[in-house]
Amino acid sequence: HAMSSSLWRVLMVLLLWALPAPALAGRHLETTHFYIYCREIEYRNGTIKDADLTRWGSWLEASYTKLVDDMGFKAPYHPIAEDRKIKILVHSFAESDDYKDRALNPGFAVIATGLIHLNRVNYVDHTRDEANQCTIAHEFFHLIQYAYDKREEAWLMEATARWAPEQVFPAL
Protein backbone atom coordinates (compact mmCIF):
# COMPACT_ATOMS: atom_id res chain seq x y z
CA HIS A 1 0.00 0.00 0.00
CA ALA A 2 1.11 3.53 -0.68
CA MET A 3 2.00 5.51 2.38
CA SER A 4 -0.66 8.09 3.27
CA SER A 5 0.37 11.75 2.99
CA SER A 6 -0.26 12.25 6.73
CA LEU A 7 2.05 9.40 7.69
CA TRP A 8 4.65 10.61 5.19
CA ARG A 9 4.45 14.11 6.68
CA VAL A 10 4.96 12.74 10.22
CA LEU A 11 7.96 10.70 9.10
CA MET A 12 9.50 13.72 7.36
CA VAL A 13 9.07 15.87 10.48
CA LEU A 14 10.72 13.19 12.61
CA LEU A 15 13.57 12.97 10.11
CA LEU A 16 13.90 16.76 10.12
CA TRP A 17 14.23 16.78 13.90
CA ALA A 18 16.63 13.88 14.05
CA LEU A 19 19.13 15.00 11.43
CA PRO A 20 21.43 18.01 11.56
CA ALA A 21 20.87 20.62 8.86
CA PRO A 22 23.58 19.54 6.38
CA ALA A 23 21.97 16.09 6.02
CA LEU A 24 18.78 17.60 4.57
CA ALA A 25 18.24 18.63 0.97
CA GLY A 26 17.65 22.31 0.41
CA ARG A 27 19.13 25.55 1.62
CA HIS A 28 19.53 26.28 5.32
CA LEU A 29 20.91 28.77 7.78
CA GLU A 30 22.10 27.78 11.23
CA THR A 31 21.97 30.32 14.05
CA THR A 32 22.67 29.86 17.74
CA HIS A 33 19.23 28.37 18.49
CA PHE A 34 17.64 27.69 15.08
CA TYR A 35 17.94 25.89 11.75
CA ILE A 36 15.99 27.67 9.01
CA TYR A 37 15.26 25.54 5.93
CA CYS A 38 13.91 26.27 2.48
CA ARG A 39 13.59 24.08 -0.60
CA GLU A 40 16.59 24.17 -2.94
CA ILE A 41 14.40 25.09 -5.92
CA GLU A 42 13.21 28.25 -4.17
CA TYR A 43 16.79 29.19 -3.43
CA ARG A 44 18.10 28.45 -6.94
CA ASN A 45 15.32 30.35 -8.70
CA GLY A 46 15.97 33.41 -6.52
CA THR A 47 12.70 33.32 -4.59
CA ILE A 48 14.65 33.02 -1.33
CA LYS A 49 18.07 34.63 -0.92
CA ASP A 50 20.81 34.36 1.72
CA ALA A 51 19.82 37.84 2.94
CA ASP A 52 16.28 36.56 3.58
CA LEU A 53 17.53 33.64 5.66
CA THR A 54 19.84 35.97 7.61
CA ARG A 55 17.02 38.47 8.25
CA TRP A 56 14.65 35.76 9.48
CA GLY A 57 17.40 34.28 11.65
CA SER A 58 18.02 37.64 13.31
CA TRP A 59 14.30 37.98 14.13
CA LEU A 60 14.20 34.47 15.59
CA GLU A 61 17.30 35.08 17.70
CA ALA A 62 15.86 38.41 18.91
CA SER A 63 12.74 36.52 20.00
CA TYR A 64 14.79 33.90 21.82
CA THR A 65 16.99 36.49 23.53
CA LYS A 66 14.11 38.62 24.77
CA LEU A 67 11.66 35.91 25.79
CA VAL A 68 13.98 33.18 27.10
CA ASP A 69 17.22 34.90 28.11
CA ASP A 70 15.90 38.28 29.29
CA MET A 71 12.38 37.44 30.50
CA GLY A 72 13.15 33.97 31.83
CA PHE A 73 10.60 31.86 29.96
CA LYS A 74 11.43 28.17 29.47
CA ALA A 75 13.29 27.34 26.29
CA PRO A 76 11.09 25.43 23.84
CA TYR A 77 11.02 21.67 24.14
CA HIS A 78 12.86 19.61 21.51
CA PRO A 79 11.27 16.15 21.35
CA ILE A 80 14.08 14.30 19.57
CA ALA A 81 16.61 16.86 18.35
CA GLU A 82 20.09 16.00 19.58
CA ASP A 83 21.39 19.39 18.47
CA ARG A 84 18.68 21.17 20.53
CA LYS A 85 18.04 23.61 17.67
CA ILE A 86 14.54 24.73 16.78
CA LYS A 87 13.64 23.88 13.20
CA ILE A 88 11.97 26.42 10.93
CA LEU A 89 10.55 25.41 7.54
CA VAL A 90 9.94 28.17 5.01
CA HIS A 91 7.76 26.95 2.16
CA SER A 92 4.74 27.93 0.09
CA PHE A 93 1.59 26.67 1.79
CA ALA A 94 -0.44 27.18 -1.41
CA GLU A 95 1.89 24.87 -3.39
CA SER A 96 1.51 21.97 -0.94
CA ASP A 97 -1.51 19.68 -0.88
CA ASP A 98 -1.04 19.28 2.88
CA TYR A 99 -1.19 23.03 3.61
CA LYS A 100 -3.49 24.50 0.93
CA ASP A 101 -6.11 25.17 3.60
CA ARG A 102 -3.55 27.51 5.24
CA ALA A 103 -2.55 29.33 2.02
CA LEU A 104 -3.22 32.78 3.54
CA ASN A 105 -1.78 31.96 6.96
CA PRO A 106 1.65 33.57 7.58
CA GLY A 107 2.83 30.74 9.82
CA PHE A 108 2.03 28.16 12.45
CA ALA A 109 3.74 26.10 15.14
CA VAL A 110 3.30 22.34 15.50
CA ILE A 111 2.75 21.25 19.10
CA ALA A 112 3.98 17.67 18.84
CA THR A 113 7.30 18.49 17.20
CA GLY A 114 8.12 22.05 18.19
CA LEU A 115 8.49 22.91 14.52
CA ILE A 116 7.60 26.31 13.04
CA HIS A 117 6.28 26.57 9.47
CA LEU A 118 6.51 29.96 7.76
CA ASN A 119 4.63 30.72 4.56
CA ARG A 120 7.30 31.71 2.03
CA VAL A 121 4.84 33.90 0.16
CA ASN A 122 4.74 36.31 3.12
CA TYR A 123 8.42 36.32 4.01
CA VAL A 124 10.08 37.29 0.73
CA ASP A 125 8.02 40.49 0.52
CA HIS A 126 10.11 43.15 2.32
CA THR A 127 7.09 45.45 2.63
CA ARG A 128 5.70 42.94 5.14
CA ASP A 129 8.76 42.85 7.42
CA GLU A 130 6.98 44.31 10.46
CA ALA A 131 4.09 41.86 10.17
CA ASN A 132 6.56 39.01 9.64
CA GLN A 133 8.56 39.97 12.74
CA CYS A 134 5.32 39.77 14.71
CA THR A 135 4.45 36.37 13.25
CA ILE A 136 7.89 34.96 14.07
CA ALA A 137 7.74 36.17 17.71
CA HIS A 138 4.11 34.95 17.96
CA GLU A 139 4.87 31.45 16.67
CA PHE A 140 8.04 31.19 18.73
CA PHE A 141 6.03 32.05 21.84
CA HIS A 142 3.67 29.18 21.03
CA LEU A 143 6.68 26.86 21.30
CA ILE A 144 7.50 28.40 24.68
CA GLN A 145 3.89 27.82 25.78
CA TYR A 146 4.13 24.17 24.77
CA ALA A 147 7.13 23.81 27.10
CA TYR A 148 4.72 24.59 29.95
CA ASP A 149 1.31 23.16 29.01
CA LYS A 150 0.04 21.98 25.64
CA ARG A 151 -3.53 21.72 26.90
CA GLU A 152 -4.14 25.30 27.99
CA GLU A 153 -7.26 27.15 26.87
CA ALA A 154 -6.98 28.29 23.23
CA TRP A 155 -7.97 31.88 23.99
CA LEU A 156 -5.18 32.18 26.58
CA MET A 157 -2.60 30.65 24.22
CA GLU A 158 -3.51 33.09 21.44
CA ALA A 159 -3.77 36.14 23.70
CA THR A 160 -0.33 35.61 25.22
CA ALA A 161 1.19 34.74 21.83
CA ARG A 162 -0.16 38.07 20.56
CA TRP A 163 1.47 39.79 23.52
CA ALA A 164 4.93 38.36 22.77
CA PRO A 165 5.78 40.44 19.63
CA GLU A 166 5.18 43.63 21.64
CA GLN A 167 7.89 42.50 24.06
CA VAL A 168 10.39 41.47 21.39
CA PHE A 169 9.81 44.32 18.92
CA PRO A 170 8.33 47.20 20.97
CA ALA A 171 8.80 49.74 18.17
CA LEU A 172 6.29 47.92 15.92
Side-chain angles (χ1 to χ4, degrees):
H1 291 283
M3 194 178 309
S4 75
S5 66
S6 295
L7 178 57
W8 179 248
R9 191 170 55 228
V10 168
L11 290 173
M12 289 307 297
V13 167
L14 291 175
L15 179 65
L16 176 69
W17 269 107
L19 295 176
L24 295 172
R27 193 70 177 176
H28 71 274
L29 172 73
E30 179 181 356
T31 68
T32 304
H33 300 100
F34 301 91
Y35 280 132
I36 306 166
Y37 298 93
C38 69
R39 294 183 321 163
E40 185 65 31
I41 188 70
E42 294 183 7
Y43 185 80
R44 271 185 298 170
N45 71 17
T47 304
I48 295 176
K49 299 173 178 46
D50 284 333
D52 295 324
L53 294 171
T54 300
R55 193 170 75 254
W56 305 331
S58 70
W59 298 342
L60 286 157
E61 287 297 338
S63 298
Y64 192 101
T65 298
K66 181 62 178 184
L67 297 168
V68 176
D69 295 340
D70 297 350
M71 298 182 81
F73 285 102
K74 281 184 186 179
Y77 173 68
H78 305 271
I80 60 174
E82 286 184 25
D83 59 24
R84 311 297 293 170
K85 301 228 181 209
I86 299 160
K87 308 303 191 281
I88 312 298
L89 291 178
V90 183
H91 57 102
S92 172
F93 296 175
E95 294 171 11
S96 167
D97 289 337
D98 294 329
Y99 301 108
K100 281 189 182 195
D101 61 325
R102 297 176 184 241
L104 301 178
N105 189 332
F108 62 95
V110 180
I111 297 172
T113 60
L115 178 69
I116 296 177
H117 291 261
L118 298 176
N119 194 346
R120 185 239 333 132
V121 174
N122 292 43
Y123 289 85
V124 295
D125 180 356
H126 293 282
T127 64
R128 297 185 46 83
D129 278 356
E130 289 183 0
N132 294 334
Q133 287 174 315
C134 288
T135 299
I136 282 175
H138 175 102
E139 298 306 335
F140 178 69
F141 197 74
H142 279 311
L143 295 185
I144 290 172
Q145 293 167 330
Y146 304 154
Y148 289 95
D149 185 358
K150 296 175 185 155
R151 297 174 308 270
E152 192 55 67
E153 294 287 333
W155 69 266
L156 181 60
M157 299 286 266
E158 279 306 309
T160 54
R162 288 182 185 207
W163 164 87
E166 297 171 12
Q167 309 312 304
V168 178
F169 304 109
L172 298 182

